Amino acid sequence: MNKLEFTIHCPVCHMTKINRSLLVNYQGVDHYFCSSQCLERFKSHPHLFVGDPKHGKSPKQKDQVVLKKRRIRFCDAISDRLKAELDASLQMLMGVEAMVFEDEDLYVTYDLIQVSLEDIEKAIEKVAVGFREGVVEQVKRGLIHYSEECELDNLAHLTKDGGCH
Ligand SMILES: [Zn+2]
């Protein structure tokens, strides 16, 4: 019955377990986050999470999900030990929905609103250091990062005419 009681949730992943020391003041409103990942995500793309009078609700406020499935190719078949470490590390990331390992490939499905391929790769590279498998296709992935950033800007109506396409 007590409607005055409200739940504070992380604006990026909507988890209610927020960390009160992770705080960003955006347009005069304090936002608390569950993790530094979500805080950084918010700082780089606030329009995905907070609406404005001109465009209305933000994509996240409309419960929009932008699922992506990418293949990340390793130089060699992924060993069970690396698989276990990757699995544990990527599960810590908000927005990673699924992982499938197939020989030297890792197929990862994620919500682009919450996490970028770049975040995922950073987590992978941290784990993969010291493993002979290594990650390849650096150049191609650089292009994907660029198109992901454009896609997010389009979602938040930030694209100027003739911008990212
Ligand atoms: Zn969060």
Side-chain angles (χ1 to χ4, degrees), residues 93-129:
L93 287 177
M94 302 296 148
V96 172
E97 307 277 333
M99 282 173 268
V100 175
F101 294 94
E102 235 178 71
D103 301 325
E104 72 270 29
D105 294 323
L106 161 60
Y107 294 88
V108 58
T109 308
Y110 56 97
D111 175 14
L112 178 59
I113 289 188
Q114 294 182 62
V115 69
S116 66
L117 182 62
E118 203 170 356
D119 296 329
I120 292 170
E121 281 170 4
K122 276 186 194 151
I124 290 174
E125 275 161 20
K126 236 189 221 169
V127 170
V129 166

Side-chain angles (χ1 to χ4, degrees), residues 9-15 18 31-33 42 49-50 60:
H9 59 252
C10 173
V12 177
C13 69
H14 285 182
M15 273 205 342
I18 50 119
H31 297 275
Y32 294 93
F33 299 86
F42 182 89
F49 309 105
V50 176
K60 184 69 192 187

Side-chain angles (χ1 to χ4, degrees), residues 8-27:
I8 296 178
H9 59 252
C10 173
V12 177
C13 69
H14 285 182
M15 273 205 342
T16 50
K17 273 190 197 158
I18 50 119
N19 180 338
R20 286 184 181 273
S21 64
L22 297 173
L23 164 73
V24 169
N25 186 286
Y26 179 71
Q27 295 177 340

Side-chain angles (χ1 to χ4, degrees), residues 24-98:
V24 169
N25 186 286
Y26 179 71
Q27 295 177 340
V29 179
D30 286 341
H31 297 275
Y32 294 93
F33 299 86
C34 69
S35 61
S36 51
Q37 181 202 329
C38 287
L39 182 144
E40 292 304 323
R41 194 70 179 152
F42 182 89
K43 275 181 13 191
S44 53
H45 298 284
H47 294 92
L48 292 177
F49 309 105
V50 176
D52 64 73
K54 195 173 162 206
H55 302 109
K57 284 185 170 181
S58 70
K60 184 69 192 187
Q61 286 167 334
K62 287 188 279 192
D63 287 328
Q64 199 166 342
V65 171
V66 181
L67 277 187
K68 295 283 173 191
K69 186 176 180 184
R70 304 273 191 215
R71 182 185 71 182
I72 295 168
R73 170 153 282 186
F74 288 73
C75 303
D76 209 336
I78 303 167
S79 64
D80 287 344
R81 214 181 104 225
L82 178 56
K83 215 178 278 182
E85 290 200 25
L86 288 171
D87 199 59
S89 165
L90 294 186
Q91 275 182 27
M92 297 288 291
L93 287 177
M94 302 296 148
V96 172
E97 307 277 333

Side-chain angles (χ1 to χ4, degrees), residues 70 110 112 116-117 144-152:
R70 304 273 191 215
Y110 56 97
L112 178 59
S116 66
L117 182 62
I144 293 174
H145 297 166
Y146 178 71
S147 69
E148 283 195 349
E149 290 305 300
C150 292
E151 189 169 345
L152 290 173

